[in-house]
């Protein structure tokens, strides 16, 4: 429990703040696809799988959420450093 809470505190800003920059730059498709994909893979899928294996209940949801935010942080860092989001055309 404490590890999941610490992960969430450490990764919250880097999981969600760069997405605002991407959307503002016109890179909305990446932001939406990344958010929906990580949510279903980690929050839903991993939570369900962990609960089926360990039967820890709500703790599995916290672990899934921590994994989701960690993955978003990694993907956002890669996208930000690549600079691809800077080349999107705004209408």
């Amino acid at each position: 429990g404490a590890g999941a809470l610490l992960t969430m505190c450490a990764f919250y800003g880097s999981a969600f703040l760069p997405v605002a920059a991407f959307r503002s730059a016109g890179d909305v498709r990446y932001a939406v696809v990344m958010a929906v994909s990580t949510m279903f893979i980690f929050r839903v899928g991993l939570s369900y799988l962990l609960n089926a294996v360990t039967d820890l209940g709500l703790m599995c949801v916290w672990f899934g959420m921590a994994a989701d935010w960690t993955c978003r942080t990694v993907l956002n860092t890669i996208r930000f450093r690549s600079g691809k989001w800077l080349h999107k055309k705004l209408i």
Side-chain angles (χ1 to χ4, degrees):
L5 184 60
L6 289 174
T7 301
M8 289 170 31
C9 290
F11 290 116
Y12 180 81
S14 56
F16 293 101
L17 294 178
V19 175
F22 299 151
R23 286 192 321 247
S24 297
D27 197 5
V28 176
R29 181 175 291 165
Y30 168 78
V32 170
V33 169
M34 184 265 309
V36 171
S37 299
T38 60
M39 182 186 67
F40 279 109
I41 292 168
F42 292 103
R43 283 193 196 193
V44 177
L46 184 61
S47 298
Y48 182 78
L49 180 66
L50 284 175
N51 192 49
V53 172
T54 64
D55 199 32
L56 289 175
L58 190 55
M59 284 298 278
C60 296
V61 176
W62 284 97
F63 290 131
M65 189 177 295
D68 176 27
W69 290 7
T70 303
C71 182
R72 286 181 189 216
T73 296
V74 170
L75 293 175
N76 285 338
T77 301
I78 292 169
R79 184 69 169 193
F80 189 82
R81 289 186 179 172
S82 75
K84 289 182 182 180
W85 61 282
L86 293 170
H87 304 291
K88 297 293 177 179
K89 296 264 185 186
L90 294 175
I91 297 176

